Every structure is written in structure tokens, then in C-alpha cells.
Amino acid sequence: MGMISVALGRLSQAFLLLIVMSLIGFIGIHSVGNPVFNVVNIETATPEDIRQATIALGLDQPIWRQYLVFIDNVVSGNFGTSYIYHLPAFELVMSKLPATLELASVAMLIAAPLGTGLGLVAGRRSGTLFDRAVLKASVSALSIPSFWLAMMLILVGAILTGWFPSGGRGSTASFLGQEWSVFTGDGLWHLVLPALALAIPNIALIARLSRSGTIEVESLDYTRFCRAKGLSPQRILFRHTLPNISVPIVTIIGLQFGGMLAFAVVVESIFSWPGVGKLLIDSIQLLDRPVVMATLTFISVAFVTLNALVDLFYAVLDPRVRLSS
Amino acid sequence: MKLGSQFHPRLLSALLISILLGSAPSTSAQAQETGELRIATSYKLMTLDPHYANLNENTSLLSHIYERLVYQDENLELKPGLATSWRPLSDTQWEFKLRDNVHFHDGSDFTADDVVYTIERIRDFLKPPSGGFRSYVSGIKSASASDSLTVLIETNGPVPNLPLFFSSIFVMNRPSEGFETTEDLNAGHSPVGTGPYRFESWRSGESLRLVRNDDYWGGKPAWRDVMFRVIESPAARVAALSTGEIDVADAIPARDVASLKERGAKIASVGAARVNFVQFDVSREILPGVTGKSGEPIDNPFKNPLVRLALAMATDRGILVDKILAGYGTAAAQVFPNGLPGTSANLVPGTPNYDEAKSLLAKAGLPNGFNLVLAGPAGRYPGDAESLQAIAQSWARIGVNAQPSAAPFSVFNTKRAAGDYAVWYGGTSGEAVDVILHTLLASPNRERGTGALNFGNYQNDAFDAMLAKAESIEVGPERYQALAQATELVMADQPIIPLYHFHHIVGYGPRVGSYVMHPRGWTTAMQTLAAVE
């Protein structure tokens, strides 16, 4: 019973969030400018062309009515047709999703274990040279702007050494009806630099988090008891410390993963990686409203889902959460 | 619109790369299977429908698959395409003779009926917002196939530009029934044309793959496969060309040219068949942002030709071309670069004369100058936002305080349409000089369709009459002469200040022997010849 009401509460919150988000997004993109000027070629179109296109897109209607039409469409599972590409907006977003999903996943697969591991070891040996090195490196990795990092990776990894391609997605293989780079050697090769560009700041973030958690936990009584009991340092670190610091780490992984799905714009742009973040920015600039709204909706749903997953994961990781609910 | 303007990362990154490239050791291009041409393009193909949007983005890429009846060559002269010849039978009748033995990619013959279908599809079937093409066929009353290789076109009135219009229309083949919809084409019903390359695959915003059409009437194309990769960031295009990942990169920023040359890339460039200009609102009484020196409202100063002339005289085009465009631009005094058909050799951009300009202002009753807001788009054209700054500095020397105001292109357009601007930077292109004069400078007239870009509401009856007369003359030297004279007349009145014709710049690598630039700014595999080993 308790679980159901919690779940219902969460769902209604999520629903409210989606409504608010759609309103803000709709009004926001509406106030930027008139998309008609991107849809018809302003250099050749006659005023009559512009008028007809305005009517055809429903832009002659007051904004509240446009919003109702939008909501009506969404309820019937349709985000409309992209003004620019003349493809169904939601399909367009979904077609860009595999690229972003694999980029974010690979980046997180690099960042999560590496960051946690570095943080654990640094925290365990706090004050040593290794610890200070990790701390310094993480500070600089976090303060480097992502575009600069991406450019440096291109410069070193592609232009100076010629090891990796400077951008693009390479060859892809079909799986579940979508194209994926991770299943081809060439595709993986293309993934390395952009994934690193996304992973490096996250390694730093996760390392710092797990380092401070480790230091805190290592000074607690139960760790000392473990030590007194004669458990090996490795066992203490991985069986006792790691689970106890994992809640904030899982939270940050979830949040950062969502962020990468939605807003890896800079990295995607510099590596011309055709993902969702790039689509969102392109669509905002072209005022392609259906695509912007479809992308925003997807992003909100993704964040809500990720947060729910993270909450679920707490219960798995931390017995206290299970007990309290 | 390019991302580059909003995102400093890109600007900086371009700089970084270009600085560091110079000292980098050159990496040899990875050995690629010969026969594949890899092009990095800034042009993002929007749709596979050749009649959906009349933009270089689409026409460049789709011209591999589809062809036109008439082709515009590098001098913008009309050359036979799918039509071998054309002639007017009377004032309202045209006959187009079609090329024999041409096949579509699905094997069917190309016939006059396909041309009729194409016209009908644009005129009767396509609904807004698709467009930009309808105006080409709006003068056509009927089109019919008098035999399988002859198209007879009847027009509502004289349309001497009809062959020019057909240089913009891609011919599709008639399906067994109905009309092919844009959705059908985009959903991957293979687009079928007569062009030198066949469609293989397309991913919107990512790539377009083409394979050679061995059956092509114009002979076997040079490359076995063509792969277009959409790379919007100029820095990324430059990087990809530097590392040999691609063979051709279009829209190279002028600042990267030197470092690319050092790395062994070759550069091709040509003055664009287009013009960027400053346009005045000459119709309203009171203009937003225009005030006297102490901020008091003043009457529209741009109504006075002397003021426009003074501002034109105080505009330093040399700085725009040399500094902002790094030499990859031509100072403008008319709508097309000098030498193209319909341009006047008498119109040459002058050097700024600030004293003279000042005395003109004094004569116009504004000896102390005035304040204005100079609006413009950012990131739409090479050098756009920077030009606003440079022009404002030039104008300050004659006492005109211009406050530059740059906005993203869509915002700029919305505000301009709403009448928020008094004077602004703009740009336009067209198939021919008369097309630009017709939309940019002719008096706005809904019936005649003139003045669509004449947002300043400039009206000059003498010019309108001259242009109308020139437009009634058949394409040829006489028409060009009349257009040049009309341009001279209207430019003397300074309804706009022509600034520059920027250059299209393309870089290419060692696998490419030569690249022929087109002033319309197209990027195609047909312009690319393989290097001879």
C-alpha cells in the first residue's frame, strides 16, 4: 500500500513536471522568433508565400490555442512534423537517440569505475602523493571548459598523432532497427575521443565524491572495528567502504548520465556527433518547434525515469532505505 | 544559421586549431580505397524532396540525383541540361526540346511527360510551407508534351526568364499514379532522378551516400562513390581536411586558409553571386532608434537621398574586405560581382570620403549628425556581425553615432518584419541580376510580385519602368545591357549601400586534382576531378 501511494505521488509529480516543462518550453521557443522565416527561404519568398506558410503551420493562431493543439497532438501520441526536415518530430529525436545513448553509456562506463576507483584509493591514502595528484588533476579536469578539452583531444588524438578520427560517427551496424557505432571497429574508433571528452570531467567529479566519502567512512567506528578484527584493507575498502559511499555516487552518475543524454551539446557539436543534444540546439536555432518540444519532452521523461531508477537503486544499495519504506 | 555565432567554443576552437596546425607535422592521408570521394559539407540536406525548399543546402546535394532542363554554368550563362534547346514560339509560348536516350535511375525513359509532371507537382500538388519553387511556375498556364521529347509551355504573359527558371527546377519522373509526397520521399522511397549519381542512403543531419550512375548520359562520373558528411562546425571541417579524413571541405573560414595551405591542402574560391548590403527604411515618418544628437526624436533622415549618399560615402568597404573577410571578399557597388551577366562595368566601389560625406550631411540639414541603431544578423553570412562594428566606426567619423545590434537570424527576421529596425544589414542571392533587382529594389507590388525583399519600402518609378522594360527583353546581351543601365540609375539614389560579395571557399586534399567553384555556392562531386596519379 505504502509503495503504491509513493509511486502514485511520484507519477503525479512527474506529470506535473512535464506540463510545466512543456509550457515553459512552448512559450520560450515562441518568444524567440517566428519560425516561418526559417521555413521559407527569406531571400526568395514573396509575402504571399510567407502568409500561406504561416497559416499552414498554424502560426496565425493565438499562442494559447497553439499550445492546446500541441497538447492535443501529444495526447494522441504525435509531436507533429518537423518544420525544417519534414519528418515526424518524435521519430527524428528517436533516430538521434542511439548515437547519444552509446556516447553517454561509453563515457559513463569509462568514468564510473575509473572515478570511483581513483577516489577510493586516494581517500584510503589521503595525504599521500597519489592523493594530492588525484586531487589536483580532478580540480583541473573540472575547471577545463569542455570545448577546450574536446579541441585538445582532437589536436592530440587526431591531428598530431593521427590515431583517431577527428569527428563523425564512422561506420555503423544495424541492431534493433537502429544504427549503432559500438558494434563496428571503425565506429568504436570514432567513439574514443568524444567519449573521453565527456568522461574526463565525470571521472574527476566521481573521484572527488568517492574520495571524500572514503575519508569520512574510514574514520568511522565500524571501519576501525573491521581493522581491529583483522580484515584486509582491500576487503574493508570494497565490502564496507564502497557500499557506504555509493549512494551519492549513484546519484551523481544518474544525474550526469541524464545530463549527457540531454546536453552533450558542445562535445557533440565539436565532434560532429549526430546526437540529441546537437539536434536540440540546431532545432532551437532554426526555431523548429515540433522538434524542440519533442526533444524537451524526451529529456524530461529521461530525467524523471533516471531519478526513479536512482531511487530504486538506493534501496538495493542501502538496507536502511528498504527498512524505512 | 550557423552555430558558430552563438558558441564561442567554436570560434575559439577554430582559432586554436588554426594556430596549432601550422606547427603540426603533417599526417599522411590514410590510404583509402580509390574511387570514393569524401566531402565534408556545411550544407545540411533537409529533405529528399527536390521541390521542398529552394536553398543551396538542398540544391547542391540533390543535384547529384536530379537534373534540371537548363544548367547555369560558372559564368551564370544558361547551358543545355536535360533540354538540348529551347525557343520562344510566341510571346506566350515556349518550346523545349529534350535530350534523347536519357534514363531515370529505375531504368525508365526520360520523356516530356516527366517535365509536365514536375511542373504540375510544384504548381498543383505541393502545399505550404514547402516552397520557393512555386514562383518559377506561377507564370505557366499550361504545359503539354507535343511529342515524347518536346515540351510545349504556354504562359499567362511574356516570361523571357522561363529558361532561367527551369535552371532551378529538378525533374522527377511521373509515378504510375498520383503525386509523390514529401513524406514518401523522406521515408526512403529511393529518390529517382536522371543525375550522375544514384541515391544510396541518407541520414538527416549526418550523411548522404551516393553511387555512380554508370548509365549517365553525360559519360561516366569521375568517382565510384560519393559520401557527404554534414559537419557544421567550420573548425571540425578544417580539422577533418587536415587529417585527410575527407577530400573536400566547403565553406572554409578565411582565417583558416593560410594554415590549411601550409598543411598542403589546396584552396579554390570564387566571388559569390550575391550581395550583402545596408538597407534603409525610407518610408516611415519616425523610425525606431533614430534620434538627434541629444536624443530628441527626428524625422526619418533616410528619406533624404543626401543622407543615404553621405552614409554610403562614409562606409569603408576596404576594411570589410581586407580585414574582416581576410581578402576573401570583393567590395560591392551593385548586386553581383562585376563581370557577371547584367552587371555594369561603370559601377565601382569608391574609397571613403569623410569630408565630402560630412558636407553632404550638413547640406541635408544634419550638420552634427544623428544617432541610429544598426541592426543585423549574427552568424548568417561571413563577416556579418563584425561588419556592423566596422561600419559603425566609419560612420562615427561623420558624426553619425551607430549602435550595432546583432541578433540570431531568426530573431533578426522577426524583428525586421515587425518594423523594429530603421537601418539594417542584409544579404540576398538569386539566379540572375534581374531576380535580385526585382525583389530587393523594385517597388513592393503584390500583384507583380516585386519588392519582396524591399523591406525599406523604397519606390522609384523611373527604375521600376526601366527594370520592367529590361525584363521583357529576351535573355542575351541586350537584356544584360538594359539591366546594367537600370542598376546604374537606381544605385545613384543609394536605396541600399552594397557592401561586399563574400567568396565561397573550398579546400581539397591530395586525392582531388581540381575543384571548380560555382558562384552560386554549390558543393558537388561533379565540380571535383580526381588527381591523376
Side-chain angles (χ1 to χ4, degrees):
Chain A
M1 191 61 206
M3 272 311 262
I4 292 172
S5 69
V6 168
L8 275 179
R10 278 302 291 263
L11 262 179
S12 55
Q13 268 178 26
F15 186 72
L16 202 70
L17 179 86
L18 284 179
I19 296 281
V20 171
M21 185 284 314
S22 74
L23 249 175
I24 294 174
F26 201 85
I27 293 171
I29 191 76
H30 184 273
S31 51
V32 171
N34 189 341
V36 152
F37 296 113
N38 291 318
V39 174
V40 298
N41 182 356
I42 188 71
E43 292 182 356
T44 56
T46 61
E48 181 61 18
D49 288 341
I50 292 175
R51 198 182 63 84
Q52 285 191 355
T54 306
I55 295 171
L57 297 177
L59 297 171
D60 53 333
Q61 305 286 330
I63 178 158
W64 59 268
R65 185 167 292 164
Q66 291 183 40
Y67 181 73
L68 289 184
V69 169
F70 164 73
I71 290 293
D72 191 43
N73 282 339
V74 172
V75 168
S76 55
N78 166 17
F79 280 88
T81 306
S82 161
Y83 294 166
I84 305 292
Y85 297 109
H86 218 274
L87 291 166
F90 197 67
E91 256 177 53
L92 197 63
V93 177
M94 285 303 120
S95 75
K96 302 291 174 199
L97 187 58
T100 296
L101 204 59
E102 64 188 7
L103 181 61
S105 308
V106 170
M108 210 30 107
L109 282 177
I110 299 173
L114 208 61
T116 318
L118 280 176
L120 273 178
V121 177
R124 181 77 181 70
R125 303 185 188 158
S126 74
T128 61
L129 186 69
F130 180 80
D131 178 42
R132 276 178 286 149
V134 168
L135 212 56
K136 284 243 165 65
S138 68
V139 169
S140 31
L142 279 174
S143 36
I144 290 176
S146 60
F147 75 88
W148 194 81
L149 179 65
M151 294 316 299
M152 286 301 111
L153 283 170
I154 290 185
L155 186 71
V156 175
I159 293 176
L160 291 181
T161 58
W163 289 339
F164 299 102
S166 67
R169 227 185 137 191
S171 43
T172 53
S174 192
F175 178 67
L176 293 176
Q178 294 287 1
E179 295 294 317
W180 302 83
S181 298
V182 277
F183 299 123
T184 67
D186 184 49
L188 274 177
W189 214 235
H190 279 80
L191 251 174
V192 173
L193 291 184
L196 273 181
L198 275 184
I200 287 173
N202 283 305
I203 295 175
L205 196 64
I206 296 171
R208 287 182 69 84
L209 212 62
S210 90
R211 176 187 172 272
S212 58
T214 308
I215 292 176
E216 198 189 318
V217 169
E218 293 268 303
S219 67
L220 291 181
D221 287 344
Y222 66 82
T223 325
R224 275 191 274 160
F225 283 125
C226 286
R227 221 173 283 150
K229 200 180 151 199
L231 292 184
S232 73
Q234 282 80 16
R235 194 175 161 79
I236 298 174
L237 208 57
F238 289 104
R239 291 302 298 272
H240 297 278
T241 313
L242 183 58
N244 278 298
I245 63 167
S246 56
V247 167
I249 294 180
V250 167
T251 312
I252 209 73
I253 288 176
L255 282 177
Q256 292 292 100
F257 189 75
M260 281 197 251
L261 281 188
F263 305 115
V265 179
V266 175
V267 168
E268 286 186 357
S269 296
I270 292 180
F271 288 96
S272 36
W273 192 265
V276 175
K278 192 160 169 299
L279 179 71
L280 176 64
I281 288 296
D282 284 0
S283 304
I284 290 176
Q285 298 215 330
L286 292 167
L287 299 178
D288 195 349
R289 261 185 235 169
V291 181
V292 172
M293 292 314 292
T295 316
L296 285 181
T297 309
F298 161 75
I299 289 172
S300 332
V301 172
F303 265 104
V304 168
T305 319
L306 274 171
N307 276 332
L309 281 178
V310 165
D311 284 358
L312 266 179
F313 220 70
Y314 288 166
V316 176
L317 288 171
D318 192 341
R320 284 169 300 180
V321 177
R322 260 172 293 176
L323 290 176
S324 70
S325 72
Chain B
M1 183 173 27
K2 299 272 151 54
L3 260 152
S5 56
Q6 269 74 43
F7 261 75
H8 282 289
R10 290 201 162 177
L11 225 99
L12 277 164
S13 58
L15 272 171
L16 267 171
I17 280 215
S18 55
I19 293 165
L20 291 158
L21 275 182
S23 55
S26 75
T27 47
S28 62
Q30 277 176 330
Q32 288 281 329
E33 203 189 341
T34 49
E36 192 197 29
L37 178 70
R38 300 154 304 168
I39 301 181
T41 179
S42 58
Y43 289 148
K44 198 156 60 170
L45 181 63
M46 294 175 176
T47 155
L48 293 172
D49 188 336
H51 304 144
Y52 185 71
N54 186 14
L55 297 166
N56 273 352
E57 271 94 332
N58 292 345
T59 47
S60 285
L61 274 55
L62 290 177
S63 68
H64 296 84
I65 304 169
Y66 301 100
E67 287 184 293
R68 315 160 173 99
L69 289 185
V70 181
Y71 175 71
Q72 235 182 344
D73 72 3
E74 290 76 35
N75 301 313
L76 300 189
E77 300 283 2
L78 299 179
K79 291 279 145 67
L82 283 178
T84 50
S85 66
W86 49 90
R87 64 190 174 109
L89 299 177
S90 72
D91 262 3
T92 57
Q93 269 192 324
W94 281 83
E95 183 193 72
F96 285 78
K97 287 279 182 199
L98 305 184
R99 201 172 286 278
D100 196 5
N101 220 1
V102 174
H103 306 285
F104 282 100
H105 296 157
D106 63 358
S108 58
D109 288 340
F110 161 68
T111 65
D113 192 40
D114 300 312
V115 178
V116 174
Y117 167 74
T118 297
I119 294 168
E120 286 171 352
R121 183 170 189 269
I122 296 172
R123 191 187 55 191
D124 308 331
F125 175 67
L126 288 180
K127 298 279 174 288
S130 72
F133 288 99
R134 195 169 299 196
S135 57
Y136 298 129
V137 297
S138 59
I140 295 177
K141 193 159 128 200
S142 70
S144 57
S146 51
D147 64 59
S148 72
L149 290 175
T150 311
V151 182
L152 205 67
I153 290 171
E154 288 215 33
T155 57
N156 294 320
V159 188
N161 254 350
L162 198 67
L164 181 73
F165 292 162
F166 274 105
S167 76
S168 291
I169 296 176
F170 287 117
V171 177
M172 295 174 72
N173 74 335
R174 187 188 280 277
S176 47
E177 58 180 61
F179 291 92
E180 254 182 306
T181 65
T182 305
E183 286 81 358
D184 281 347
L185 287 162
N186 284 343
H189 285 229
S190 277
V192 167
T194 58
Y197 291 93
R198 293 164 190 270
F199 172 81
E200 183 158 298
S201 69
W202 170 57
R203 294 182 62 74
S204 79
E206 292 176 43
S207 62
L208 174 72
R209 281 174 186 279
L210 306 163
V211 288
R212 179 157 69 193
N213 172 15
D214 288 323
D215 237 10
Y216 186 54
W217 58 267
K220 227 173 174 183
W223 304 89
R224 195 196 60 223
D225 301 288
V226 179
M227 161 72 160
F228 276 97
R229 245 172 68 189
V230 179
I231 304 183
E232 283 162 283
S233 152
R237 281 197 303 280
V238 170
L241 181 62
S242 307
T243 56
E245 275 168 60
I246 47 123
D247 301 309
V248 178
D250 67 10
I252 299 283
R255 60 172 178 267
D256 289 330
V257 166
S259 60
L260 272 177
K261 276 185 176 164
E262 268 175 48
R263 305 255 313 170
K266 279 164 278 180
I267 299 289
S269 71
V270 70
R274 52 181 311 137
V275 66
N276 289 90
F277 51 82
V278 169
Q279 191 169 29
F280 303 104
D281 186 323
V282 296
S283 73
R284 283 182 288 169
E285 294 301 324
I286 299 288
L287 292 176
V290 176
T291 55
K293 260 294 158 65
S294 47
E296 77 279 9
I298 55 170
D299 290 342
N300 183 348
F302 308 127
K303 285 192 168 194
N304 189 339
L306 291 179
V307 174
R308 303 198 296 263
L309 187 59
L311 291 174
M313 223 171 238
T315 304
D316 192 344
R317 296 173 176 90
I319 285 185
L320 304 183
V321 169
D322 297 337
K323 298 289 185 294
I324 292 174
L325 299 176
Y328 283 92
T330 307
Q334 51 192 326
V335 297
F336 268 7
N338 211 334
L340 288 175
T343 56
S344 161
N346 300 329
L347 289 173
V348 281
T351 46
N353 186 340
Y354 299 107
D355 297 333
E356 175 84 31
K358 245 184 159 158
S359 68
L360 281 175
L361 268 191
K363 219 187 274 176
L366 291 158
N368 300 321
F370 54 99
N371 303 327
L372 59 84
V373 176
L374 178 60
R380 170 78 178 183
Y381 309 102
D384 48 11
E386 296 89 338
S387 292
L388 300 184
Q389 305 276 352
I391 295 167
Q393 281 173 23
S394 296
W395 287 359
R397 295 179 62 166
I398 59 166
V400 174
N401 269 344
Q403 185 198 329
S405 156
F409 189 60
S410 47
V411 177
F412 168 77
N413 268 318
T414 309
K415 287 190 153 187
R416 182 172 62 184
D420 288 356
Y421 298 141
V423 49
W424 58 88
Y425 170 108
T428 186
S429 66
E431 296 87 355
V433 163
D434 47 291
V435 174
I436 295 192
L437 294 176
H438 192 86
T439 55
L440 183 64
L441 296 173
S443 310
N445 182 318
R446 181 170 281 204
E447 268 162 46
R448 288 173 47 230
T450 55
L453 283 183
N454 187 351
F455 297 112
N457 219 0
Y458 173 76
Q459 313 228 1
N460 183 335
D461 294 339
F463 167 70
D464 285 348
M466 270 179 101
L467 180 63
K469 188 163 171 293
E471 285 183 316
S472 69
I473 305 170
E474 215 178 301
V475 174
E478 204 189 324
R479 181 186 176 101
Y480 299 153
Q481 179 67 29
L483 286 170
Q485 281 169 357
T487 311
E488 284 170 24
L489 176 96
V490 73
M491 283 306 167
D493 202 24
Q494 304 289 347
I496 59 168
I497 305 175
L499 298 174
Y500 53 78
H501 316 284
F502 64 77
H503 291 186
H504 294 296
I505 309 174
V506 160
Y508 54 98
R511 294 177 67 238
V512 173
S514 69
Y515 189 90
V516 182
M517 289 293 295
H518 198 284
R520 296 285 304 280
W522 296 325
T523 307
T524 70
M526 287 80 82
Q527 290 161 261
T528 315
L529 289 181
V532 184
E533 300 278 319

